Every structure is written in structure tokens, then in C-alpha cells.
Amino acid sequence: MVLLVLLLAAMLALLLYLLGRSGKEEQEYETQLTVYENVKPDFSDRKQVDYLAECRKVNPDTVAWVRIPDTEIDFPVVQGQDNAWYLNHNFEQEYSSLGVPFLDYRCAGDFTDFLSIIYGHHIKGGMMFSGLDAYKQADYFQAHQQGILITEKKKYTIHFVACLVTESDSFAYNIAFPTDKEKTDYLEQAEEQALILNDFSTDMLKEKQLILLSTCSYEFEEARTVVIGYLEEQKKTTVKK
């Protein structure tokens, strides 16, 4: 009987701890959303000289803004000296379990590499990159095939082509592509392992810049959900004189 009481007390304590942590994360998330809203680029302005100027006033590590319409994913993207700092620091570089979406430190900050990887935490309640989970459903994938990526001077449409559930050390996180063969091999592996796939031409995609959005998943230990797309630059409007 005593053991049962102690067990119930321990379970209650754990529940209260988790609820308290969840409430704190939600409050912190709301605070960060206000920060983001104050620096968000004007998505409709095609004539801006520097889309990220306001972002860099808060965090000079800002390299992009990523947005998927009709989802909660609408965040600045930073790049640190490693892939650890922004796992537990927010956009204002304060300690935070929420972190902030960040570009792999090995990738070019202007997204000109063949593959650019952006990481974001999977936080319950739809926070951060947890919305990528929905891409594992075919109907949702088909309804949300495009995103937006804004860098300092350019604005891109992201065309999503595949969703995978993979290991944290899988081929998907390779960033070295010295020849076309490595690019072709990567695309063929993505096609083979995709949970959801849009038909694509390997020959066409190996000439593009790819982007991979990554978050934790829970199908197995160290599982990751990744959504892969390619970038298409949106040309700025020219002003007639």
C-alpha cells in the first residue's frame, strides 16, 4: 500500500512538472512570436534592398526567413558557428529550450549550395517545426506543396518534393556533393526512401538548390522527419521610369 501511494505521488509530481514546463514553453513561445512579428520581412514588397535588415538588428546571425503559408511555420533562420548553440538559445540569443530554426553551419549562408539544411525543434502544441509532422499525410502534403524562403536580397518559392522519416545520421544530412553522381545518388535515395513523394526529374533537380527542413520524430529512437524541396527565385519587380 505504501509503495502504491509513493508511486502515485511520483506520477503526480511528474505530471505537474510536465504541465508546468509545457505552460512555460507556451508563454515563452508567445513572447518570441511577438519578437518575430516585429522584424518579419514584408512578403509583398518585391523592391526591398535588404529583406533581413530588421532581423539582423536583433540577431546578426540571421540568414533567412522561412514561411509555409497556412501553417504555423513562419520563422527567422539563423546560422551559428556550430549546430549546438541554437538548439537551446532563442532569436535574442537567450537560453531557451525552444531554440530557433537554424541553418546547418556547414552550409553556405546564402543558400547557394546544392543542399541547405534547416533544423527546428519538435515542440508539442504545434510550436516551432512540429508542423512538419503533418507532411507525413498525403492529403496535407498535396495541399501545402510550396513555401517561401527570403534571404538578404532574394526571395524564393520552395517547391516540396518529398517527405521522409529517417535516422539522425542518414544520407539525408550529407552536404558534400563534389560531382553530379553524388547529387544523383542523393536524389535517388530520397526517392526510394520517401514516405510521401511528388514525381520529379533527377536530371532537373540536380541542377537546382535543394532545401531540407528537419525536426525530431518519434517512430523510433533518433528518428527525424525531413521535408525536401527545391528553390525557385522570385524575380523582383522592376520600376519603370
Side-chain angles (χ1 to χ4, degrees):
M1 185 65 178
V2 174
L3 289 176
L4 178 59
V5 172
L6 291 174
L7 178 60
L8 290 174
M11 292 176 63
L12 178 60
L14 177 60
L15 177 61
L16 292 174
Y17 168 77
L18 292 175
L19 289 174
R21 179 178 177 182
S22 177
K24 183 179 179 180
E25 285 180 339
E26 289 180 4
Q27 184 177 15
E28 184 180 345
Y29 187 63
E30 290 299 322
T31 300
Q32 283 299 294
L33 288 182
T34 300
V35 174
Y36 298 156
E37 190 64 32
N38 289 336
V39 299
K40 182 187 297 187
D42 184 349
F43 287 80
S44 64
D45 187 351
R46 293 172 177 265
K47 302 185 292 293
Q48 281 202 36
V49 175
D50 184 349
Y51 288 111
L52 303 178
E54 294 302 313
C55 292
R56 283 199 297 272
K57 289 178 182 178
V58 178
N59 189 328
D61 288 342
T62 306
V63 293
W65 191 284
V66 63
R67 178 188 182 199
I68 303 178
D70 301 320
T71 78
E72 296 296 320
I73 296 175
D74 193 7
F75 303 116
V77 179
V78 295
Q79 186 178 36
Q81 298 298 311
D82 54 39
N83 286 341
W85 175 260
Y86 283 111
L87 285 173
N88 52 24
H89 288 81
N90 63 21
F91 188 60
E92 298 171 290
Q93 301 200 40
E94 299 168 341
Y95 182 84
S96 167
S97 61
L98 297 177
V100 63
F102 63 92
L103 178 67
D104 193 305
Y105 80 98
R106 301 170 298 170
C107 299
D110 59 1
F111 292 83
T112 53
D113 285 339
F114 174 66
L115 177 68
S116 300
I117 304 171
I118 299 176
Y119 305 92
H121 279 310
H122 185 291
I123 306 292
K124 290 182 179 179
M127 294 182 281
M128 305 311 291
F129 270 18
S130 60
L132 294 181
D133 261 358
Y135 274 88
K136 291 182 276 191
Q137 306 298 320
D139 290 347
Y140 187 92
F141 191 107
Q142 292 304 316
H144 300 84
Q145 294 187 45
Q146 293 186 350
I148 299 169
L149 182 81
I150 290 179
T151 63
E152 177 186 355
K153 298 183 181 300
K154 295 183 178 181
K155 183 176 177 182
Y156 298 93
T157 298
I158 307 172
H159 299 277
F160 296 118
V161 296
C163 176
L164 292 73
V165 174
T166 190
E167 300 84 1
S168 60
D169 59 352
S170 81
F171 80 95
Y173 298 100
N174 178 34
I175 52 91
F177 301 94
T179 69
D180 280 353
K181 183 181 185 306
E182 278 76 12
K183 296 177 181 179
T184 298
D185 289 345
Y186 183 92
L187 291 166
E188 288 178 349
Q189 282 186 274
E191 186 174 18
E192 180 181 341
Q193 296 187 24
L195 184 66
I196 305 294
L197 180 71
N198 272 345
D199 288 336
F200 61 78
S201 163
T202 299
D203 286 339
M204 183 271 285
L205 282 190
K206 72 182 183 182
E207 303 301 325
K208 300 289 188 180
Q209 278 73 54
L210 303 185
I211 187 166
L212 182 150
L213 307 181
S214 172
T215 194
C216 291
S217 197
Y218 302 100
E219 287 81 357
F220 49 86
E221 187 174 357
E222 293 297 318
R224 299 290 185 269
T225 296
V226 301
V227 180
I228 300 173
Y230 67 90
L231 300 178
E232 179 184 28
E233 184 178 352
Q234 297 181 13
K235 300 299 183 182
K236 289 188 177 182
T237 303
T238 56
V239 180
K240 294 182 179 180
K241 296 182 179 181

